[in-house]
Amino acid sequence: MKRFTTLDVSSPPCSSHHYPGKVFGFVDEIIAGGVRIEGMLTESLTGKSAPEFSGLRGWLNTPPLTVARLRGKVVLLDFWTYSCVNCVRSLPHMKMLHKEYAGGPFVLIGVHTPEFEFEKLPENVASAVKRFGIGYPVAIDSENTTWKLYGNQYWPRQTLIDSSGMVRWEHAGEGDYDKMGDRIRDLLKETGRQEESKDNARSNILENFRFMPNTTPEIYAGTLRSQGFGNGQVYEPGSRTRFIDPGKHSRDMPYLGGDWTQFPEYVVHATTESGYILLKYGARNANAVLGASDTKPVRVDVELDGKPIEKGKAGADIQWDSMGSFLLVAENRLYDIVRTKDFETHELKLITKADDLRLYTYTFG
C-alpha cells in the first residue's frame, strides 16, 4: 500500500499570517509532525484520522455531509475563500477534478473559510459559488473552525482522505494539479472500485501555473497585517489622516494621496475630494480586494504608469469611457485589474472621489 507522508508546497499561498515583504522561500519539510513554511509551523495530519466537520453555518449544492458518512469514498477537501486570487486561480482545476471523478467513490468538497469579515456571510458565499459556477458541495466554515481542526494557515490548501477516513496527502498553494490527480487515482485503486477518468486530457488542458520568483508579495492595507505606507509620515489608525505623496516611489510599497483612515482589515477613503492609492509592483497580473460600505457602485479610475490601461493589458473588471479606464466597485470582492503575458513592472494608481472606498489587499501573479 502506497503512503504519502508529506505536505506538498508548490507556490506561495495566501496566509493567515503576514509574510515579510521579500521574495518567498518555501521549504517542503516535515518537522516534528508538522511542516515548516517560511519560518512558520503548520500541523500535518497525514497518517491521522480526518477530523469531523465542525462549526459550519451551512452547505451549498448538497444536504449536510459528515466525514463519518463519507467512509468508503475518497474525499478531497479544498480549503478556499472567494477573495483569494490563489484560490480563484485553482478553481478551474478543482472543477475539472470534480468533472472527472464525481459520481463514483470520490467526493470533492470546497470548505469555504473566510479571510475577511464580509466573506463570513453565507449569502456572500452563495453568490460567489454561483458566480464561479461551482457545482460540487461547499461547506460554509465562517468561523474557520473546521479549517483550524485541519491545521490550516493557508489558502488554498487541499487535504486528501482515503476510504477508511485517514488523511493521506496534503498540499498548500497553487500548482501540482497533475500530481493531485495521481494521488486521487492511487487512492481510488485501493477501494477496488476505480472509475475511468471521464476526460483523458485531464487538468493539463488548463493554463499551467507558473510562479515568478520576483513577483510582488500580497500587500495588506489594514492594521492587522499592514507593514505601513511609503508616505513617511505619522498617522494614528482609526483616525482620518491627510497623506502627502512624496513623489518618489519604492517597489512593493503602497502610497496614499488625500484623506484616508486605516482600520484593522482595510484602509478607507474618507472624503469626497479626490484621493488615490499608488503601488509600484512587479508581476504578470495585478488584483485588489476592494469594497464599499454602501450598495451603490463606486467608481474607481485606474491608471497604469500615469495613463488609462490599454485593452491588451486590462483585467476582466476594467471598463472604459470618455474619461479613461475604471472599475465599478459594487461589492466586496477580488477585482481583476491588470493582466500581461510576461512579468512587467508598473505603477498602478487607483483614484476615487467616493468617501467609502475600501482597499483590503493587493494580490499578484
Side-chain angles (χ1 to χ4, degrees):
M1 181 180 293
K2 190 174 182 180
R3 294 284 177 180
F4 316 121
T5 58
T6 63
L7 187 156
D8 283 4
V9 181
S10 55
S11 72
C14 297
S15 169
S16 59
H17 299 274
H18 178 70
Y19 282 119
K22 64 182 182 66
V23 175
F24 292 97
F26 277 77
V27 179
D28 185 359
E29 180 181 1
I30 295 294
I31 300 178
V35 179
R36 188 174 296 279
I37 303 176
E38 186 70 315
M40 294 175 291
L41 194 67
T42 181
E43 182 183 0
S44 173
L45 298 185
T46 301
K48 301 178 182 178
S49 295
E52 188 57 80
F53 302 125
S54 181
L56 302 180
R57 293 187 64 180
W59 288 84
L60 299 170
N61 301 332
T62 182
L65 300 173
T66 66
V67 172
R69 292 179 182 177
L70 289 169
R71 294 286 177 87
K73 294 182 179 291
V74 174
V75 180
L76 177 63
L77 302 181
D78 177 39
F79 292 89
W80 71 293
T81 187
Y82 71 81
S83 74
C84 168
V85 67
N86 306 86
C87 298
V88 172
R89 286 197 295 251
S90 72
L91 288 177
H93 300 275
M94 296 301 107
K95 291 193 287 184
M96 182 68 74
L97 290 172
H98 173 67
K99 180 181 177 181
E100 289 182 29
Y101 300 108
F106 173 78
V107 177
L108 170 59
I109 299 173
V111 184
H112 186 273
T113 50
E115 183 175 10
F116 301 110
E117 285 293 320
F118 65 82
E119 295 174 300
K120 291 184 176 183
L121 299 176
E123 57 268 32
N124 288 352
V125 181
S127 176
V129 166
K130 182 178 180 180
R131 182 169 67 250
F132 292 126
I134 297 172
Y136 49 81
V138 174
I140 303 177
D141 186 27
S142 293
E143 303 306 320
N144 295 44
T145 304
T146 296
W147 193 71
K148 293 174 183 176
L149 288 175
Y150 278 82
N152 290 338
Q153 293 182 3
Y154 309 99
W155 296 270
R157 183 173 173 183
Q158 291 83 29
T159 297
L160 190 56
I161 303 169
D162 68 16
S163 58
S164 68
M166 300 291 291
V167 173
R168 295 286 295 280
W169 187 71
E170 297 168 273
H171 177 273
E174 299 179 61
D176 282 345
Y177 302 112
D178 287 339
K179 183 187 293 186
M180 202 175 300
D182 291 341
R183 297 293 187 261
I184 291 169
R185 285 187 294 278
D186 286 339
L187 294 186
L188 286 173
K189 288 179 182 178
E190 293 179 8
T191 70
R193 296 185 294 157
Q194 180 184 11
E195 290 204 353
E196 292 296 325
S197 170
K198 300 174 184 177
D199 185 350
N200 291 330
R202 301 187 317 196
S203 59
N204 58 13
I205 69 172
L206 300 173
E207 179 183 2
N208 291 326
F209 173 77
R210 292 185 299 130
F211 175 66
M212 308 297 290
N214 198 33
T215 296
T216 295
E218 186 166 20
I219 294 175
Y220 291 89
T223 57
L224 287 176
R225 283 171 282 188
S226 171
Q227 288 190 309
F229 305 101
N231 300 73
Q233 63 190 81
V234 176
Y235 60 93
E236 182 179 351
S239 298
R240 174 173 163 176
T241 303
R242 173 152 294 184
F243 289 87
I244 307 300
D245 188 342
K248 293 184 178 181
H249 307 125
S250 299
R251 214 195 88 160
D252 303 346
M253 176 63 70
Y255 295 81
L256 300 176
D259 292 359
W260 295 83
T261 305
Q262 189 184 41
F263 291 100
E265 288 193 346
Y266 56 85
V267 62
V268 61
H269 189 235
T271 178
T272 55
E273 297 178 6
S274 183
Y276 61 85
I277 310 164
L278 184 147
L279 178 68
K280 185 176 182 179
Y281 73 91
R284 289 178 301 161
N285 305 325
N287 313 271
V289 178
L290 302 166
S293 59
D294 202 346
T295 56
K296 182 180 178 181
V298 169
R299 180 183 175 112
V300 180
D301 292 297
V302 181
E303 293 182 356
L304 198 64
D305 302 324
K307 301 176 181 179
I309 299 179
E310 57 187 76
K311 292 189 177 181
K313 294 186 177 182
D317 289 309
I318 292 293
Q319 303 180 47
W320 293 267
D321 63 10
S322 60
M323 302 294 290
S325 53
F326 67 96
L327 298 167
L328 278 182
V329 178
E331 58 183 315
N332 295 282
R333 67 172 177 86
L334 181 74
Y335 287 84
D336 184 355
I337 302 175
V338 183
R339 281 182 174 268
T340 55
K341 292 181 180 180
D342 300 309
F343 183 98
E344 298 180 7
T345 299
H346 295 288
E347 277 197 352
L348 176 62
K349 192 174 186 179
L350 306 179
I351 309 164
T352 186
K353 291 184 178 180
D355 61 0
D356 61 347
L357 176 71
R358 300 174 178 181
L359 170 69
Y360 291 83
T361 181
Y362 288 103
T363 58
F364 303 90

